[in-house]
Amino acid sequence: FPSHDTELGYDCQWQVLNSKNHGVPQNRERVFIVGHLRGTPRPEVFPIQENAQVSLKRPRQVSPTITSRYYKQGQSDPYIVDESKPRIRKLTPLECERLQGFPDGWTASVSDTQRYKCLGNAVTVNVIRDIISKL
């Protein structure tokens, strides 16, 4: 996005950020855009440094049985290896909440189907927190 004049009167900053560099155990790259009304104070939000040091923040444990061997079966069903019973199982909504940085039970007021949809479409809380801290 260019930072020169646009028809709407906003200047934009953007960067691709990866959730794994913000303290959660998942590789999830997304483009983040911050717009500022032209003529107002504009803090420099980007670039946010993403390096190995950042990814060493203590990630929250997702589950005692999740390993790095992650599989996808079918189009949209995430599965993991359950080493305690060596078989493949689907991620629970609680594990999905933790992978996105949400508090436990944050989506518990809706059906599991809706929980999976909401969490799959959500942005990672830790990334947004890091962006907001620069505003």
Side-chain angles (χ1 to χ4, degrees):
F1 293 93
S3 61
H4 59 279
D5 291 348
T6 63
E7 292 180 20
L8 298 177
Y10 282 86
D11 293 326
C12 294
Q13 302 173 51
W14 67 277
Q15 184 177 352
V16 175
L17 298 173
N18 194 327
S19 294
K20 74 178 183 178
N21 296 322
H22 298 270
V24 293
Q26 71 162 316
N27 186 26
R28 186 179 181 98
E29 292 182 319
R30 297 292 183 268
V31 175
F32 292 89
I33 303 167
V34 175
H36 300 278
L37 184 61
R38 195 167 300 111
T40 61
R42 180 185 126 148
E44 287 299 320
V45 176
F46 302 120
I48 291 178
Q49 295 300 319
E50 292 205 308
N51 56 39
Q53 293 302 320
V54 176
S55 65
L56 294 177
K57 287 180 184 175
R58 239 166 97 175
R60 190 170 173 195
Q61 184 175 3
V62 176
S63 168
T65 59
I66 286 185
T67 70
S68 60
R69 294 181 7 202
Y70 172 80
Y71 300 92
K72 250 192 147 141
Q73 298 201 351
Q75 287 291 70
S76 61
D77 295 329
Y79 286 86
I80 58 171
V81 173
D82 185 338
E83 297 293 345
S84 66
K85 300 173 181 148
R87 62 182 182 131
I88 297 175
R89 69 171 178 81
K90 190 172 184 174
L91 290 169
T92 67
L94 175 64
E95 290 165 341
C96 292
E97 287 174 337
R98 290 177 178 177
L99 283 170
Q100 288 288 56
F102 285 95
D104 290 357
W106 184 257
T107 60
S109 63
V110 296
S111 71
D112 281 357
T113 300
Q114 288 301 310
R115 291 175 84 180
Y116 284 118
K117 285 181 183 178
C118 290
L119 293 163
N121 289 325
V123 291
T124 305
V125 172
N126 300 27
V127 178
I128 299 303
R129 186 178 300 129
D130 289 347
I131 292 171
I132 289 173
S133 73
K134 300 208 47 188
L135 286 174

